[in-house]
Structures are given as C-alpha cells and as structure tokens.
Amino acid sequence: MMRMSLVIAVVFFGFIVHGSSAAFNPVDSFLIACGSSQNVSFQGQAFVPDSFQSSFLLKSEGDTVFSATDFSAPSPIYRSLRIFTEPSSYEFDIRQKGRHWVRLYFHPLPNSGHDLRSAPLTVVTENFVLLNNFTFKNQNQSYLFKEYIVNVTSDSLSINFVPSNNSITFVNAIEVVSVPDYLIPDQALDLSPATPFSGLSEVALETIYRLNMGGPLLTPQNDTLGRTWENDVKYLHVNSSAVNVSASPGTIKYPPGVTAETAPNLVYATAEAMGNPNVANLNFNVTWVFSVDPSFVYLVRLHFCDIVSMAMNDLVFNVYINSDIAIASLDLSSKTGGLAVPYYKDFISNSSTNSSTMYVSVGPDVMANTANAILNGLEIMKISNGAGSLDGPSPVDGFLLKSRSKKSKTGIVIGSVVGAAVAMGFMALCWWCFMARKSKTSTHPSHPWLSLPLYGNSQTMTKGSTISQKSGTASCVSLASTNLGRLFTFQEIMDATNKFDESLLLGVGGFGKVYKGTLDDGIYVAIKRGNPRSEQGLAEFHTEIEMLSKLRHRHLVSLIGYCDERSEMVLVYEYMANGPLRSHLYGTELPSLSWKQRLEICIGAARGLHYLHTGAAQSIIHRDVKTTNILLDENFVAKVADFGLSKTGPSLDQTHVSTAVKGSFGYLDPEYFRRQQLTEKSDVYSFGVVLMEVLCSRPALNPVLPREQVNIAEWAMTWQKKGMLDHIMDPALVGKISPASLRKFGETAEKCLAEQGVDRPTMGDVLWNLEYALQLEETSSALTDIDENSTNHIADIPLQPFDNSINMIDVAHSGTDDDAEDVTTSAVFSQLVNPRGR
Ligand SMILES: *[C@@H]1O[C@H](CO)[C@@H](O)[C@H](O)[C@H]1NC(C)=O
Ligand SMILES: *[C@@H]1O[C@H](CO)[C@@H](O)[C@H](O)[C@H]1NC(C)=O
Ligand SMILES: *[C@@H]1O[C@H](CO)[C@@H](O)[C@H](O)[C@H]1NC(C)=O
C-alpha cells in the first residue's frame, strides 16, 4: 500500500525542448560530411563537405575516392562518404587543448562500386586506437556510430584511417568538438576493490551506453553537448520490476557543480523506480543488464534526482554494480540538501565475474521507511587500455599484438618492438617529405606544419626541404648521417616481406604492422611498417632512435635498420623466433617450459633491464615491462623489447621523473600510479609481476576469475606471505622444483612487489637473487643441509658496472657484446655462492 502511493502513475511527457540558458559554447567544433559536395544538415547542425578545408586538412597518400550519394540512406549524414586506398588522415587545428568528442559515422553505401561491407575500418589518433579492423560483413547492422572522448594535448588532432593491405577503408562523417574539462574529472571510485582511482585524464573513453531512465530518446538537439540518450527499457532484466516516473523538467534544480552539460534536465526529470510486481516481498532489485567486453575496464556514471519523494530522507536505497555495492544507503535528499536536485557519481568497474555482462542494480535499503529505489540516467564508457587502445586485445596483451595461429610452427613472433614515439616521429618526417613533394598538385596551400625542428641537423633539413620542393623527386632527408643503422631501400623491404604479404604478418598495432621478413642473405628480420602520422614527436623520434641504436646488449632486442623512402616509415629489428614469453606460459599449445628454462629467461630479462637502468650514462626506465615485451630467440635467450614508452631516468640531483602514467594494467607500479613519479623501481615492480606470471602460468590480470584472484600481484602475494606459493603455481611445475629455489624465487618476487619503491630491490639485486635461485635449483641435492641464509649477503654486493660504450655495432656481427661481462659475473658469482665451491 505504501508502494502504491510512491508510484507516481501519471507519466508526464509534455517536454518542451529548450536550450539551457547558459549553454556551453565549444571552442573547437568541426562537423564534416566526408565526400559530400554540399553542406549537410543533420540533427540541427550543419556539416561542411570535407573539400571545404579551412581549419582542417585532409591528407592522403593515395587517391581518395569521393563516392556517389545514396538517397536511400535514412539520414543525410550517411548519404555520402570518402573512400581511402592508402593511409589517410584528417588533421584538425585545435584552438583549446583538453577533452574533445570524436564522433564517427559509418555506413557502407551499397552503390559505391566497392565492397564496403568487407572493408576493415581501423581508426587511430596519435595516441589512441579508436577502432581496430571492424567490418560490417557478418554483422546485421548497416550503420555504425561511434563516440569517443580524447584529451588533445597539442595544437592539432589527427584522425587516421588505415586501410589493411590490399583493401580500402572509408568514413561518412566526423565530428570533433570541445568537451568542457569538468565533465570528466580525473578521479572515480574503483569498485574492485573499493579504492579511489585517479588517472582518467590520461585515458581515452568510448561511450558504450547512455541511457535516459524512464524517459524518451534524447537526440543531440536536446543536449547542449550533442549527446544521444536512449530509453532504458530494453536493458531491464525484468521489465515489470520497474515503472517510469517523471517530473516537469522545469522543476529540476541544478546544484553548484552540476549543469545541463552533466546531463540535460530531461534526463533528471524522468527515472525508473521500483515497480509493483504484485508480490508480497517488496525487497527486490531493479536490474539492468549490459553486454561489455570483459577485457576492458569501464567508467560508469550514475545520475540520480529524487523526483519521487514527498519529504526529505524518505528515499534511501542501495546501488550495485555487478555484485559490488557501489553506494550503500544512498539518501539523495541528504546528499543534495533537497528534492529534485541532480546528483551523479562515477565508478570504475569491469564486467562481472566470468562473463561479458555488467549489471547495474538499485534496490531498497532494509532500514528505509519506504521500499523504493530510483535511477535517472546511466552512462557506461570504455576506458582505453594500457596500450592506448579502445578496441583490441585485453590490456595484458599490450600493443595490440595479435597472436598468430596457435599451431603455427614458425610461431608467434616479435611484436611491437618499438613504440609509438618512434613510429610517429618517423611518419611525421616522411609525411612532411611526401607532402612537400606533392605540394605542386595539392589543392591545399602550404601549412604551418612545415616548420619542423630537426634533431641537431637543421642545416640538412633546410637543404633537404628546398630540394624536395624544387625538384619534386628528391627523397626524404636521410637519417643515415646520424649513424643509426642500416638504411634499407623500400624495394629491399618489399622483397623481404614479399610485398607486405599478409601471411607473413606477425602482429598488428595501432602504430603499424609487423611482418616477418627475409633479407637477401637469408637472415630473418621483423619488419615494422608504421602508419602515417602527423609531424608530432619528431624530436622525440630522434631521441628514441638515437637511444635504441646506442643500446646494444645481448638481452635487448636490437634495431637493425630502417627505411625512409617514399613516405614510408619502416623499422627493421632482430627476429625473435620463439616470440613473446607470454605465449610459452599460457594461452597457446606450446610445450610447457621447465623451471630451469624459466629461471634462465627471468635472469636474461633481468640482465637486460639492469643494463637499461645502469648501463648507459643516464639510466633508462623501460616503463612497460611485461611478458609480451620479453621475447625469446631460437635458443630461448630472453631479450627485452619495446622501448616505446621508455624514459630517461632521474639525473643525479633528482630522485624521480614526474610523468604521465603509461604502461599496462596489471603491471603498473601502484606508487607510480598514485604519485606519477617514475623511478627504476617501477620497472622492478612490473618485473615482480612477470616473476609471478612465470611461476603461476597465468595472466597478470584475468578478469574472469573470482575477484580476489583477478590481479596476480595481489593473489600471489597473499600466498607468498603464507609461504604457500606452491598452492597456486603452474601445476606442471609441482614437485619438480627444489623448495629452496622456489622459496628464493618467491621472496625475490615479493620484494619486487613491495608497496613502496624504496623497499624494492634494484634490478641488480633481483638479478643476483635469481641467479641464486637457479644455483639452488641446480644444486638442490647438495644443498639440503646448508643454511641458505648464510649466503644471503650476496645481494648486497654491487655488480661491476657494465660497459658504457655506445658504439654502433655492425648488426651482422652484433648481439653478444656482453659475453665478456657474462663470463666475469658468472665467475664471481660461482665463487661467492656455489655451495660446492666453499
Ligand atoms: C556551408 O556552410 C559554411 C559554413 O557553415 C558556409 O561558409 C558555406 O558557404 C556553405 N557552403 C555551401 C555550399 O552552402
Ligand atoms: C589532458 O592531459 C593533460 C596532460 O596529460 C592534463 O594536464 C590535463 O589535465 C588533461 N585534461 C583533462 C580534461 O583531463
Ligand atoms: C540486489 O543485488 C545485489 C547485488 O547483486 C545483491 O547483493 C542483493 O542481495 C540484491 N538484493 C535483493 C533484495 O535481491
């Protein structure tokens, strides 16, 4: 009976659509109808043709086809499109840095003369992968609308459309519009476990669901930020569990800090409340069910506004996301100080255990006067993963590395060896040359981006640019003078990869594809062909490539050379026949590694990292240590790869480097994440995660496991603290490891995973301890009666510094310049610790 009075039966839909009085006015606003010959009016806004380039630039390597218009498409925005045969980009001049909407519209027009339904769609920005290989084929949809929020941190944003080999790609319309910065704060509440989360300013978001509970569809005309809000009914778990309630939009009282940009009053003026299910027990939840990709983490924003209560403190209810309590005993009126006052809250969550569903529920609080619960609006946004992707493998996969066929003999090979910065910079240079060459035919006049700072060699650059503009044939400014490795011709690269044969594809990243190549001398290499980029990061690129060519170590993957012809950007690396360590641990059918092999691999990787930290004049922090970045050669020698995120470490007078948090979820140093201060100890933490992964043969993060097991660092630490790591280790190892070796290994991993960086060992200490664990394993029988603690002091003995020389080594004979060092350390080592030797 009580409930009946609560259900406001009259649903009032007398909406008067009116703009908010102080509507947000976006500084940047680009609405582009691609391939159109005239302005297109869509949802109250005018989209200009992409031939009308005043404040943005369309760049393409190849011909772009401007397609016929199709009047059968239901809305005008989908009636034209542009087809790209080569990597192409739209580059926007950004007047105000900060978050921007990127909205993309796709519809494969049937009469375009191309099979657009099979054309893969891959869209990337400088820092993020928005869409990765989507095709309409085998989907029952013929329209695709995508909405993203990306933080633009420079004066331009380029949106790149990357066709696959031998294929084309297309787009119908693009929006790039400023978002008020306060819309998405940096922090939210993480639900598993309940801890504050910060770092949202570093990620890109994709809108997955945006619902107006109990209300009508709101189109961009009804929203000052041009958003669409759909009705929630189709997501209700049990339709009859909810009833829609509404108030007059005019009665909504926005408090300070919440505006129509947070959500329009039409969202707050309607809600779903608990329905009358005709059952005696009024204690039930109203639940919505969403399908989500379990490999991503989501930002969930819940909008509330108490439009049902007659009095303050009447409505008290619980809010759940999956089985987690998100807000317990929520009393809206006490939070907001009144009725009909909007309130919202942000959470970080992933899918529920063992599934690709997310549940959001509201239900009555047992202590409340009245059994009711409401929800007015809901937004679920996907958070880009550690690899900067919104569409691709799980965060633990890193740079969108696609594992090849599990059974393939040649195997899963070297992945994304060098990261974004290198790729981008190189692209930029080539793009610049390309555009310079093309400038004669280009309809667009020259652009300010021609002023490029070139690392240390501005003279050459100026000269080069003059030549290329005048002759129209000169190639790019050569980097050869800087002695960065072998310069390949594009023809050589084409020959090596059989014209980029897709069957030789080893991996795909947002920054390009990696192919297995064969040089004419029969040597296998990994060839990375980058995607076109803007001019950004050129200096960074030079620094990176300089750094890479300096780093020569048996346990670091080497750069062999590059090609900068024909606006191509190609990097050539050492080929690692046995691929990433991860594929030998789980997820494939490769034979299980023995304990000794695992220890040797860990020791190799530790050596590589130790060299990075201490070998060069200035220490280098890898920043993305994980099992996909540890590659194995044909002899299972481990080499550390992918310095794309590397940063030079703190100089002597500093203790840390302040920097944006980068890296992969599951491996991130919690201290770095909290304080954004990078030290070598962040790599040590990540390496600790790798050690646990190697022992347990499971991913760093596995969202389908029960909550306490999701994160290997936490899970393994609880067992290590009990001294019972053998309970969770790879069953294939059980009974085959010397307990002393396991103990040493567990202790080493535990120290690496210490909360505070200062409590973690250096990579040098880790290396010694792992060597020791190996020694214990090899001599386990002889050891049984020796007190191993007596030898523990070895960890305190500093290592000999490595050779700092930065010679450019001829790659054909390269690779093992630390052999001498290996011999020395092994000798010292065995003298010190080999129990039989004492
Ligand atoms: C399209 O709209 C823009 C600005 O909204 C205007 O400057 C331009 O003249 C229009 N073009 C056509 C073909 O109507
Ligand atoms: C965008 O990124 C910059 C640099 O990382 C950061 O300072 C800024 O706060 C971010 N903006 C927003 C709105 O998150
Ligand atoms: C509502 O859902 C939550 C989370 O799944 C659950 O813990 C709670 O018991 C449910 N309440 C009722 C009354 O079913």
Side-chain angles (χ1 to χ4, degrees):
M1 277 157 282
M2 188 97 69
R3 288 211 36 78
M4 289 308 287
S5 67
L6 278 169
V7 175
I8 299 171
V10 183
V11 179
F12 176 78
F13 278 145
F15 292 122
I16 305 142
V17 176
H18 58 93
S20 164
S21 48
F24 170 72
N25 190 15
V27 175
D28 296 308
S29 178
F30 303 93
L31 308 175
I32 315 251
C34 304
S36 175
S37 53
Q38 60 203 31
N39 286 351
V40 172
S41 163
F42 178 58
Q43 293 177 323
Q45 294 180 296
F47 284 66
V48 298
D50 60 358
S51 49
F52 181 83
Q53 299 182 25
S54 55
S55 51
F56 69 95
L57 192 62
L58 169 59
K59 298 174 176 179
S60 182
E61 279 180 32
D63 294 332
T64 70
V65 188
F66 142 92
S67 157
T69 328
D70 170 21
F71 290 105
S72 64
S75 72
I77 205 71
Y78 290 114
R79 287 180 191 156
S80 71
L81 50 69
R82 187 171 293 275
I83 296 173
F84 304 105
T85 54
E86 295 289 338
S88 304
S89 69
Y90 288 86
E91 190 170 310
F92 300 91
D93 288 339
I94 297 297
R95 284 193 283 159
Q96 191 174 65
K97 294 176 190 176
R99 289 218 167 87
H100 287 71
W101 299 114
V102 173
R103 296 188 176 111
L104 304 174
Y105 299 80
F106 302 95
H107 169 49
L109 291 179
N111 63 353
S112 68
H114 297 270
D115 180 12
L116 295 180
R117 288 192 71 82
S118 334
L121 305 176
T122 297
V123 186
V124 302
T125 68
E126 280 97 338
N127 302 315
F128 296 102
V129 179
L130 304 182
L131 200 54
N132 182 17
N133 251 327
F134 173 91
T135 53
F136 282 95
K137 203 158 122 189
N138 309 324
Q139 313 264 344
N140 48 20
Q141 70 197 92
S142 33
Y143 300 91
L144 181 68
F145 169 69
K146 288 281 190 178
E147 182 184 272
Y148 307 92
I149 296 182
V150 297
N151 182 357
V152 182
T153 53
S154 69
D155 297 333
S156 70
L157 170 68
S158 82
I159 299 182
N160 305 280
F161 294 84
V162 190
S164 315
N165 216 22
N166 302 326
S167 185
I168 53 173
T169 190
F170 68 94
V171 62
N172 297 70
I174 304 174
E175 290 181 42
V176 173
V177 182
S178 303
V179 173
D181 278 347
Y182 58 81
L183 186 70
I184 313 278
D186 187 53
Q187 287 167 344
L189 185 70
D190 195 345
L191 284 176
S192 39
T195 43
F197 173 97
S198 62
L200 287 176
S201 61
E202 303 296 335
V203 299
L205 301 168
E206 176 186 347
T207 309
I208 308 294
Y209 299 98
R210 185 180 290 123
L211 307 182
N212 178 19
M213 265 60 193
L217 170 73
L218 302 182
T219 58
Q221 286 110 309
N222 312 133
D223 182 302
T224 53
L225 297 185
R227 292 167 294 194
T228 301
W229 302 74
E230 62 169 328
N231 176 264
D232 64 298
V233 166
K234 67 178 181 209
Y235 303 103
L236 274 173
H237 190 44
V238 178
N239 249 334
S240 59
S241 65
V243 56
N244 49 35
V245 294
S246 70
S248 158
T251 61
I252 303 302
K253 293 167 280 198
Y254 283 104
V258 184
T259 64
E261 283 73 56
T262 314
N265 57 6
L266 297 175
V267 169
Y268 290 115
T270 63
E272 294 283 8
M274 287 175 67
N276 179 2
N278 282 327
V279 290
N281 183 1
L282 291 175
N283 188 14
F284 64 91
N285 289 329
V286 180
T287 298
W288 292 264
V289 185
F290 303 97
S291 111
V292 293
D293 179 342
S295 59
F296 283 87
V297 179
Y298 294 82
L299 172 65
V300 180
R301 173 169 287 187
L302 302 166
H303 297 273
F304 301 98
C305 185
D306 186 352
I307 51 170
V308 299
S309 295
M310 301 304 166
M312 298 278 286
N313 310 110
D314 223 8
L315 177 69
V316 183
F317 59 100
N318 294 320
V319 182
Y320 308 90
I321 297 178
N322 299 326
S323 53
D324 299 313
I325 183 126
I327 317 178
S329 309
L330 174 61
D331 176 354
L332 284 174
S333 60
S334 79
K335 285 264 186 222
T336 60
L339 299 175
V341 179
Y343 174 77
Y344 72 93
K345 194 100 180 115
D346 290 338
F347 300 94
I348 304 288
S349 188
N350 47 18
S351 65
S352 69
T353 310
N354 277 325
S355 74
S356 52
T357 25
M358 180 186 286
Y359 300 92
V360 174
S361 313
V362 292
D365 190 79
V366 282
M367 306 303 286
N369 296 338
T370 51
N372 201 1
I374 63 164
L375 186 60
N376 302 62
L378 173 67
E379 292 172 89
I380 299 180
M381 287 177 258
K382 194 194 262 181
I383 297 177
S384 58
N385 67 21
S389 175
L390 282 162
D391 185 10
S394 67
V396 290
D397 262 329
F399 281 87
L400 302 185
L401 233 199
K402 250 196 236 151
S403 265
R404 301 297 294 162
S405 153
K406 287 173 185 172
K407 287 182 187 124
S408 141
K409 271 255 174 62
T410 47
I412 318 136
V413 197
I414 172 174
S416 48
V417 186
V418 163
V422 179
M424 272 183 249
F426 212 121
M427 279 302 184
L429 180 65
C430 295
W431 196 283
W432 173 82
C433 292
F434 166 74
M435 290 311 285
R437 265 182 284 150
K438 260 210 134 177
S439 61
K440 265 198 264 177
T441 50
S442 169
T443 52
H444 197 274
S446 68
H447 205 70
W449 46 257
L450 282 176
S451 54
L452 293 178
L454 189 77
Y455 174 85
N457 212 350
S458 53
Q459 195 54 47
T460 318
M461 189 60 180
T462 318
K463 207 169 142 204
S465 62
T466 318
I467 292 166
S468 30
Q469 273 170 333
K470 277 193 187 145
S471 69
T473 52
S475 80
C476 287
V477 176
S478 172
L479 289 166
S481 56
T482 44
N483 197 20
L484 298 172
R486 174 166 163 197
L487 180 61
F488 289 87
T489 64
F490 190 64
Q491 191 55 47
E492 283 175 299
I493 299 292
M494 295 277 279
D495 294 345
T497 55
N498 194 15
K499 298 198 177 69
F500 298 105
D501 186 344
E502 296 276 305
S503 70
L504 296 172
L505 200 59
L506 301 175
V508 179
F511 308 104
K513 293 182 172 181
V514 183
Y515 298 85
K516 179 178 177 177
T518 317
L519 302 184
D520 23 346
D521 48 7
I523 290 178
Y524 290 137
V525 287
I527 294 185
K528 184 172 195 172
R529 185 189 198 189
N531 300 328
R533 291 285 154 177
S534 75
E535 76 279 9
Q536 308 236 311
L538 187 62
E540 207 176 332
F541 155 65
H542 270 263
T543 321
E544 291 274 354
I545 207 159
E546 274 269 295
M547 190 168 89
L548 265 175
S549 46
K550 278 179 197 174
L551 296 169
R552 294 285 161 180
H553 189 271
R554 182 169 143 81
H555 295 289
L556 299 180
V557 171
S558 345
L559 177 70
I560 292 178
Y562 62 95
C563 163
D564 66 353
E565 243 175 71
R566 291 186 28 189
S567 79
E568 284 285 343
M569 157 167 166
V570 178
L571 295 168
V572 180
Y573 298 96
E574 179 182 10
Y575 175 77
M576 298 293 286
N578 276 309
L581 167 58
R582 182 181 203 251
S583 59
H584 295 269
L585 296 174
Y586 46 86
T588 64
E589 287 153 26
L590 297 171
S592 170
L593 297 171
S594 72
W595 181 235
K596 197 164 164 256
Q597 273 177 313
R598 293 183 203 211
L599 281 172
E600 280 166 351
I601 289 166
C602 292
I603 288 168
R607 257 179 216 284
L609 289 171
H610 179 55
Y611 172 79
L612 277 184
H613 290 177
T614 60
Q618 204 175 4
S619 88
I620 292 159
I621 303 170
H622 186 288
R623 292 222 284 177
D624 202 16
V625 175
K626 55 185 176 183
T627 47
T628 40
N629 282 340
I630 297 172
L631 304 181
L632 304 175
D633 75 3
E634 66 281 10
N635 300 317
F636 285 89
V637 172
K639 303 193 185 205
V640 178
D642 211 332
F643 308 94
L645 298 177
S646 305
K647 270 266 189 291
T648 334
S651 52
L652 286 177
D653 52 344
Q654 294 172 303
T655 56
H656 65 266
V657 182
S658 268
T659 167
V661 174
K662 296 268 160 56
S664 301
F665 286 120
Y667 294 91
L668 270 185
D669 168 10
E671 190 179 49
Y672 167 42
F673 202 71
R674 271 195 309 273
R675 302 171 47 196
Q676 315 225 336
Q677 294 179 347
L678 188 65
T679 70
E680 290 89 346
K681 296 297 180 69
S682 306
D683 282 351
V684 174
Y685 181 91
S686 309
F687 192 71
V689 177
V690 167
L691 293 180
M692 290 302 194
E693 222 179 315
V694 164
L695 179 69
C696 303
S697 295
R698 55 148 285 188
L701 273 191
N702 185 351
V704 304
L705 292 173
R707 167 122 59 80
E708 66 280 10
Q709 303 186 21
V710 168
N711 187 328
I712 197 173
E714 280 169 36
W715 178 236
M717 279 293 261
T718 56
W719 289 93
Q720 164 62 18
K721 289 200 170 114
K722 289 187 270 188
M724 291 160 72
L725 263 187
D726 52 328
H727 284 233
I728 58 160
M729 72 190 214
D730 186 346
L733 296 174
V734 172
K736 296 182 187 152
I737 307 189
S738 119
S741 175
L742 175 60
R743 199 175 324 124
K744 187 84 235 163
F745 187 88
E747 281 166 17
T748 310
E750 180 180 1
K751 285 189 196 131
C752 292
L753 293 173
E755 267 308 297
Q756 310 285 325
V758 290
D759 299 331
R760 294 176 208 144
T762 64
M763 266 333 286
D765 296 339
V766 174
L767 176 55
W768 279 95
N769 280 287
L770 291 174
E771 293 261 21
Y772 186 45
L774 177 62
Q775 203 77 11
L776 288 170
E777 177 64 24
E778 284 174 344
T779 61
S780 56
S781 51
L783 252 184
T784 37
D785 49 9
I786 292 183
D787 175 10
E788 55 160 294
N789 286 330
S790 65
T791 50
N792 252 357
H793 65 272
I794 57 145
D796 300 322
I797 298 170
L799 278 180
Q800 297 287 317
F802 292 128
D803 178 16
N804 287 358
S805 62
I806 49 168
N807 302 332
M808 179 62 214
I809 289 148
D810 179 359
V811 177
H813 318 277
S814 80
T816 57
D817 49 314
D818 74 329
D819 280 352
E821 161 263 310
D822 277 353
V823 170
T824 328
T825 44
S826 309
V828 174
F829 175 79
S830 39
Q831 215 180 0
L832 280 168
V833 301
N834 188 340
R836 284 172 303 195
R838 302 183 119 202

